[in-house]
């Protein structure tokens, strides 16, 4: 089960638990209020608070959009209504004549939940006002029963609960915002890496084109046939460079300043043997490479991305499966796809995506999807962990 699925499961469980707790509090309010002999108490301290309590459910139960304006506005309206009911009950009670057995625990719990969701998802400018108003409403609710010191203490306890809910909601909001910023940074770094790859690739091939052109000029008179071969090589290198440049530039949304990466050939799938050799020298689990098909002539961005998939899979095995006994790296080329798989037999429990907040796999996913491919990571059918990636191959690339 992937991390988004687990997150949705936990949300559903929390919603179910909240509904059960809310229902129990509502039943307690009903029993306590109907046990009161006062008809006015039954009306004001049962029907109206029950209605307000039910009105909080659409606010705290669903997951809202971050920065929602409707959420704090609705919370303000509910808090105002609750304060008005409290004021009305206090006035009608004649300074404590109306003795009720509960002030509406379901409504209190509902408003505390509203404080949480407002702090977690509400619009920043409106959320503080809505949270304060809901907190005041929660603090004043025990006054519906009376003004004794014990009830004032209950009001303070409810304020503390509302403050705790606001704190938890704000903390989760900050954590989520930090994760979003980290993911955005990873994606930006991935695009910058694409730019560096483009720089390296073009520099590598343009240098070859220049050398071929210079050589052709010197041998033009002595051996014209060699000039034709050089021109064919120049044409092929130029076509490949232009094709890769068009694809990579299309991927880059916000190109940075000209990259200053050193000019060096890019590591691709043809360099997997040294990568596995280095892994075997530092890990207990031997890695075996299985190749099916010719890996030469692949698009450079596909080859380098496949190399990074294998590197990520081996890194995750080393970090998170110390008990693994073997790692299988399979690379298969079909007419239309390049398929890459990294599978280990580790028994350590893991959850997708990759650990360490999954930023390595997030960046890799961004890279693979930008090329039109797919990538998945999860437990294998026979145990262990499997990382699969599929890259489409384009006919425009010279073989």
């Amino acid at each position: 089960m992937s991390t988004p699925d687990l997150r949705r499961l936990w949300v559903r469980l929390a919603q179910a638990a909240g509904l059960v707790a809310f229902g129990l509090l509502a039943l307690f309010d009903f029993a306590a209020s109907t046990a009161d002999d006062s008809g006015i108490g039954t009306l004001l301290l049962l029907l109206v608070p029950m209605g307000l309590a039910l009105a909080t459910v659409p606010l705290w139960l669903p997951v809202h959009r971050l920065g929602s304006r409707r959420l704090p506005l609705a919370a303000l309206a509910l808090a105002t209504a609750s304060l008005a009911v409290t004021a009305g009950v206090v006035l009608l009670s004649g300074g404590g004549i109306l003795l009720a057995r509960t002030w509406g625990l379901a409504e209190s719990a509902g408003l505390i939940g509203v404080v949480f969701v407002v702090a977690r998802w509400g619009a920043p400018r409106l959320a503080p006002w809505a949270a304060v108003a809901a907190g005041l409403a929660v603090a004043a609710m025990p006054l519906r029963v009376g003004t004794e010191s014990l009830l004032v203490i209950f009001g303070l306890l409810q304020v503390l609960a509302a403050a705790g809910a606001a704190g938890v909601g704000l903390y989760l909001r900050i954590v989520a915002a930090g994760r979003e910023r980290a993911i955005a940074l990873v994606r930006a770094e991935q695009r910058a890496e694409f730019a560096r790859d483009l720089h390296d690739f073009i520099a590598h091939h343009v240098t070859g084109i220049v050398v071929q052109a210079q050589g052709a000029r010197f041998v033009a008179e002595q051996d014209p046939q060699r000039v034709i071969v050089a021109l064919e090589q120049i044409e092929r290198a130029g076509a490949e460079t232009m094709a890769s440049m068009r694809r990579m530039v299309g991927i880059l949304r916000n190109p940075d300043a000209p990259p200053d990466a050193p000019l060096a050939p890019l590591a691709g799938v043809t360099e997997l043997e040294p990568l596995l050799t280095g892994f075997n020298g530092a890990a207990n689990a031997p890695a075996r490479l299985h190749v099916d098909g010719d890996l030469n002539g692949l698009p450079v961005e596909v080859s380098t991305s496949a190399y990074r998939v294998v590197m990520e899979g081996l890194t995750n095995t080393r970090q998170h499966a110390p008990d693994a006994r073997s790692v299988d790296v399979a690379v298969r080329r079909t007419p239309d796809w390049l398929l890459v798989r990294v599978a280990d037999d580790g028994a350590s429990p893991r959850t997708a995506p990759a650990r360490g907040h999954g930023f390595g796999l997030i960046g890799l996913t961004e890279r693979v999807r930008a090329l039109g491919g797919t990538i998945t990571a999860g437990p294998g059918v026979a145990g262990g962990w499997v990382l699969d990636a599929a890259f489409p191959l384009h006919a425009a690339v010279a073989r």
Side-chain angles (χ1 to χ4, degrees), residues 20-108:
V20 170
F22 181 82
L24 292 176
L25 291 175
L27 288 176
F28 176 82
D29 290 340
F30 179 81
S33 296
T34 53
D36 195 343
D37 295 333
S38 172
I40 298 177
T42 300
L43 176 64
L44 293 179
L45 296 178
L46 174 62
L47 300 181
V48 177
M50 280 293 181
L52 290 174
L54 291 175
T56 65
V57 175
L59 298 185
W60 59 259
L61 182 60
V63 177
H64 297 272
R65 176 181 57 85
L66 184 63
S68 171
R69 291 177 57 87
R70 293 182 180 180
L71 177 60
L73 290 175
L76 278 171
L78 273 177
T80 303
S82 178
L83 286 170
V85 170
T86 300
V89 171
V90 171
L91 290 176
L92 291 176
S93 66
I97 297 175
L98 178 63
L99 298 175
R101 302 192 180 191
T102 178
W103 55 83
L105 294 179
E107 183 185 350
S108 295

Side-chain angles (χ1 to χ4, degrees), residues 207-371:
T207 302
I209 291 172
V210 171
V211 171
Q212 291 283 354
Q214 290 174 342
R217 186 181 61 183
F218 286 111
V219 302
E221 296 182 358
Q222 291 83 4
D223 191 352
Q225 186 62 34
R226 291 179 61 186
V227 175
I228 296 175
V229 174
L231 291 175
E232 291 176 349
Q233 294 174 344
I234 290 172
E235 179 184 8
R236 184 163 56 251
E240 184 177 356
T241 301
M242 290 300 297
S244 294
M245 184 170 63
R246 283 193 298 268
R247 281 190 296 271
M248 285 189 176
V249 170
I251 292 169
L252 299 174
R253 302 291 193 273
N254 299 308
D256 297 326
D260 55 356
L263 303 183
L266 302 178
V269 291
T270 56
E271 286 81 34
L272 287 178
E273 283 285 0
L275 177 65
L276 267 66
T277 300
F279 173 83
N280 291 335
N284 297 326
R288 299 183 293 265
L289 178 63
H290 311 275
V291 177
D292 183 5
D294 185 11
L295 301 184
N296 294 314
L298 289 170
V300 62
E301 61 272 24
V302 171
S303 182
T304 57
S305 297
Y307 181 91
R308 282 164 172 77
V309 168
V310 175
M311 186 166 57
E312 176 73 13
L314 295 177
T315 300
N316 285 338
T317 298
R318 179 182 296 138
Q319 293 179 350
H320 307 291
D323 57 343
R325 297 183 300 275
S326 65
V327 184
D328 290 301
V329 178
V331 182
R332 180 188 177 195
R333 179 176 182 174
T334 69
D336 299 317
W337 293 87
L338 181 69
L339 308 177
V340 181
R341 166 171 288 194
V342 182
D344 64 58
D345 59 356
S348 300
R350 288 180 271 175
T351 57
R355 280 62 53 207
H357 300 295
F359 293 141
L361 192 57
I362 288 173
L364 194 61
T365 301
E366 176 76 8
R367 184 186 186 100
V368 173
R369 290 180 177 173
L371 297 176

Side-chain angles (χ1 to χ4, degrees), residues 58-238:
L59 298 185
W60 59 259
L61 182 60
V63 177
H64 297 272
R65 176 181 57 85
L66 184 63
S68 171
R69 291 177 57 87
R70 293 182 180 180
L71 177 60
L73 290 175
L76 278 171
L78 273 177
T80 303
S82 178
L83 286 170
V85 170
T86 300
V89 171
V90 171
L91 290 176
L92 291 176
S93 66
I97 297 175
L98 178 63
L99 298 175
R101 302 192 180 191
T102 178
W103 55 83
L105 294 179
E107 183 185 350
S108 295
L111 281 176
I112 291 173
V114 168
V115 171
F116 168 78
V117 297
V118 165
R120 175 63 180 88
W121 287 289
R125 292 184 179 181
L126 298 174
W129 301 102
V132 169
L136 289 176
V138 169
M141 278 184 194
L143 298 179
R144 298 175 184 178
V145 179
T147 57
E148 291 82 0
S149 58
L150 181 61
L151 296 173
V152 174
I153 292 175
F154 274 117
L156 293 176
L157 290 176
Q158 293 196 156
V159 168
L160 291 177
V168 173
L170 185 60
Y171 170 76
L172 294 177
R173 185 175 189 143
I174 292 173
V175 170
R179 180 172 177 81
E180 289 296 326
R181 285 194 297 269
I183 291 175
L185 179 61
V186 168
R187 289 175 174 171
E189 290 175 348
Q190 202 64 51
R191 282 166 172 76
E193 187 175 354
F194 269 119
R196 289 193 295 269
D197 285 355
L198 177 62
H199 174 269
D200 293 347
F201 178 73
I202 291 178
H204 182 67
H205 279 272
V206 169
T207 302
I209 291 172
V210 171
V211 171
Q212 291 283 354
Q214 290 174 342
R217 186 181 61 183
F218 286 111
V219 302
E221 296 182 358
Q222 291 83 4
D223 191 352
Q225 186 62 34
R226 291 179 61 186
V227 175
I228 296 175
V229 174
L231 291 175
E232 291 176 349
Q233 294 174 344
I234 290 172
E235 179 184 8
R236 184 163 56 251

